[in-house]
Each structure stands twice: as C-alpha cells, then as structure tokens.
Amino acid sequence: MKIALILENSQAGKNKIIFEELNRAAKAHGHEVLNFGMYTAEDKRCLTYVMNGLLASLVLTCKVADFVVTGCGTGEGACVACNAFPGVQCGHVTSPVDAYLFTQVNAGNAISLPYAQNFGWGGELNLRYTFEKLFAAPFGGGYPPERVEAEQRNKKILDGVKEITQRPLIEVLKGLDRDFVKNTIDDPKFAELFYPNCQNEEIAAFLKSL
C-alpha cells in the first residue's frame, strides 16, 4: 500500500517527526510513504487545510496513493475538507483506538489528525501508537465481531452514496478557481511524486496545462 502524507502550513514544522513515525509503522507492514509536504514552515508553496482536501482527492482518484494521512491544528478542518472532495472517506483520528476502529468499522481511505491540539509531552508517542494501530489489521475487518456484517454492509452503502452525490474529480477541477488548483500543486516534489504514478491521463493533462 502507498500512503500519502499531506500537511498544511500551520503544522509544516512537524513534518519530519510525523513522517518518521508514519514511515516507521508503515515499513513494518511493507507499506511505502510518499511525503507530499509541506516540508517546512518556510516552503514556497503554502498549503491550507482546504488544499489538503484537494491533494487527498487527487492522489486517491489517480491511484498515486491508496491511503492519505493528513491533518491540521485540530484535525477538524482537514477532515471536513477531505470529505468535501470526490473519492475521499476521511476520519478524524485522535488516538490509537480511533485509528483501529476507523480502519475496522469504517474502512475509509484517509485520516486527519490534530497536530497542535493536545500535542505536548509524549506527542510523538501518541503518533507512534496511532500509526501502529492504523496498520494493525486489514481494513474492514469489523469490530466487535457480532457487528461485522452490518458494518461491511453500511460501508458498501456509503460507497454507493458518494458515487451518486459527488461529481467526477475532473469536473470539479474544471469548476474550481484555477489559481487555487495551481497553487496546490505548485511544487517540484509534487510533480516528482505524482505524475510518474498517476493513472488518470485526463487529470494529469489538465494539471500540466496549468
């Protein structure tokens, strides 16, 4: 599984520690982490939590990544933004229990964490244990056992609902402010990570045209 890490400007200074803890947990299960930044608070490209949502939708829709780890100060804004875009089912995760239950019950493809709220002494340990539980078992296994069938059934229903209620991403991209889209992807590292792995030629061509 390929996992995309996406951070907005207020938490960019924590990129190194978040990447290290995520990469540690991912590698233990044979997964790969793609770091889409922001990388430092001084980056030329300044991502907002709304841009996080767009980036999450791009990498998931184009199969550049299978899962997204994002967040902001509280984790709420990035979560709401992710769910506003096509192809993203994002959960707000604050603890190892949240991470485990989200993957087992909801089996979504993105999580948003609070990187400022309650992030103090031992903050890196909460990240470590959260990422460990995130990959502890195959997604969609259900919890508790007697609820598995109902949870899996509801997951399929939600997938169908989102297909009906959300437009294809290419239509969304063409309707968005072009500067907003361009500023979201305007980073050499994005091009390096995204285009070689992109499996949607129409979206790739549109982004390059910007």
Side-chain angles (χ1 to χ4, degrees), residues 71-91:
C72 54
T74 64
E76 300 286 6
C79 183
V80 172
C82 281
N83 286 316
F85 285 92
V88 189
Q89 293 184 16
C90 184

Side-chain angles (χ1 to χ4, degrees), residues 22 30 47 56 66 68 91 99 111 125 147 150 187:
L22 176 59
L47 295 176
D66 308 293
V68 168
I111 61 168
L125 295 180
R147 291 289 301 161
D187 185 88

Side-chain angles (χ1 to χ4, degrees), residues 48-71:
T48 66
Y49 69 79
V50 185
M51 291 173 170
N52 283 15
L54 174 56
L55 276 177
S57 185
L58 282 169
V59 299
L60 291 169
T61 300
C62 296
K63 303 187 186 307
V64 173
D66 308 293
F67 195 84
V68 168
V69 173
T70 186

Side-chain angles (χ1 to χ4, degrees), residues 132-158:
E132 286 176 355
K133 288 301 180 184
L134 188 66
F135 307 117
F139 289 10
Y143 181 90
E146 62 270 19
R147 291 289 301 161
V148 171
E149 289 187 13
E151 290 165 358
Q152 292 176 343
R153 183 168 61 250
N154 285 330
K155 163 64 175 168
K156 291 179 181 178
I157 292 171
L158 180 59

